[in-house]
């Protein structure tokens, strides 16, 4: 399943290979890093392969920015909580470029319940990371959400305490809120592909959140809910 997820920044391309059928079982998964040669892109193998201990479906989502790569592993068991999901963060070595790694620089988790499935989507801009917890593992058993993580001054580190948790004002079971996410400046958008919109059930919608003056905080009040005509 190489190419299930894809991200690029400058001369670096990262592709996810979650080794997973999308149902919560399967292999650990991996992230493959491709670095553009001096003469331009050509057919080649990866520059590095990134894996993680105890990961399940690593590569279901991926983000890259400069020397930072983050991969979602939504079916990972965390502290005995099956399907809780996790984010694996890797930092490029100071010299020699990206190299094979079997352990992340940091492991980010939500501290949430089993079956939450953190990591089917991830987006990174500056020092802010947003990831969906769409409850892929067992839809309807736990509320869907999106988590915001803020990078500490010393760089990314292990944490199970996100800066904020975003939820919809009108949650519906199994709506897949957090299946996709995006961030740009003070705006975060979260996709919810089975959310009702007006009088249409399962039409799907995108929830828009605006960062408060003091920084991101947990909220169930979006700025806007938008959908297609």
């Amino acid at each position: 399943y190489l190419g299930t997820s894809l991200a690029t920044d400058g001369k670096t391309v990262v592709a996810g290979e979650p080794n997973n059928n999308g149902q919560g079982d399967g292999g650990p998964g991996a992230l493959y890093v491709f670095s553009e040669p001096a003469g331009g892109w050509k057919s080649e193998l990866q520059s590095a392969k990134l894996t993680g201990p105890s990961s399940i479906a690593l590569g279901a989502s991926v983000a890259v920015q400069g020397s930072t790569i983050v991969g979602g592993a939504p079916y990972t068991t965390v502290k005995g909580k099956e399907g809780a999901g996790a984010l694996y963060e890797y930092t490029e070595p100071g010299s020699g470029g990206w190299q094979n790694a079997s352990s992340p620089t940091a492991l980010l988790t939500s501290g949430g319940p089993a079956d939450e499935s953190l990591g089917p989507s991830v987006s990174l801009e500056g020092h802010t990371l947003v990831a969906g917890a769409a409850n892929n593992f067992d839809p309807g058993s736990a509320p869907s959400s999106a988590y915001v993580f803020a990078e500490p001054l010393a760089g990314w580190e292990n944490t199970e305490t996100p800066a904020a948790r975003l939820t919809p004002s009108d949650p519906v079971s199994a709506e897949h809120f957090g299946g996709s996410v995006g961030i740009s400046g003070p705006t975060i958008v979260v996709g919810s592909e089975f959310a009702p919109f007006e009088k249409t059930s399962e039409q799907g919608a995108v929830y828009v959140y605006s960062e408060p003056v003091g920084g991101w905080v947990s909220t169930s009040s979006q700025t806007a809910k938008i959908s297609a005509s």
Side-chain angles (χ1 to χ4, degrees):
Y1 300 103
L2 177 65
T4 295
S5 61
L6 187 66
T8 182
D9 185 44
K11 296 181 180 295
T12 302
V13 170
V14 188
E17 183 269 300
N19 190 18
N20 191 275
N21 63 8
Q23 302 300 319
D25 53 7
L31 304 172
Y32 290 83
V33 186
F34 300 84
S35 301
E36 183 179 7
W41 290 105
K42 60 182 180 181
S43 297
E44 59 184 278
L45 298 176
Q46 76 275 1
S47 306
K49 179 181 180 180
L50 310 178
T51 57
S54 303
S55 64
I56 301 178
L58 174 63
S61 63
V62 65
V64 57
Q65 178 183 262
S67 60
T68 299
I69 290 174
V70 180
Y75 305 131
T76 300
T77 297
V78 178
K79 292 187 174 180
K81 293 180 288 189
E82 187 177 6
L87 307 173
Y88 289 73
E89 186 274 329
Y90 301 83
T91 301
E92 184 179 11
S95 61
W98 287 101
Q99 302 168 16
N100 293 344
S102 58
S103 294
T105 307
L107 180 68
L108 312 177
T109 59
S110 70
D115 301 332
E116 190 174 48
S117 304
L118 174 68
S121 62
V122 63
S123 186
L124 173 66
E125 184 181 72
H127 299 284
T128 304
L129 171 70
V130 58
N135 198 20
N136 294 30
F137 189 78
D138 186 10
S141 67
S144 299
S145 57
Y147 288 94
V148 183
F149 296 84
E151 182 182 10
L153 293 176
W156 291 106
E157 58 187 26
N158 294 343
T159 183
E160 57 181 24
T161 308
R165 180 183 181 220
L166 309 178
T167 54
S169 62
D170 53 351
V172 177
S173 178
E175 65 183 334
H176 209 237
F177 178 88
S180 60
V181 296
I183 180 171
S184 179
T187 301
I188 285 176
V189 291
V190 183
S192 183
E193 64 183 294
F194 301 123
F197 190 78
E198 296 179 343
K199 296 182 179 181
T200 307
S201 63
E202 298 189 354
Q203 176 171 317
V206 174
Y207 290 78
V208 183
Y209 297 84
S210 298
E211 183 180 11
V213 175
W216 289 104
V217 294
S218 296
T219 183
S220 58
S221 180
Q222 66 275 359
T223 305
K225 179 181 179 180
I226 56 180
S227 191
S229 59

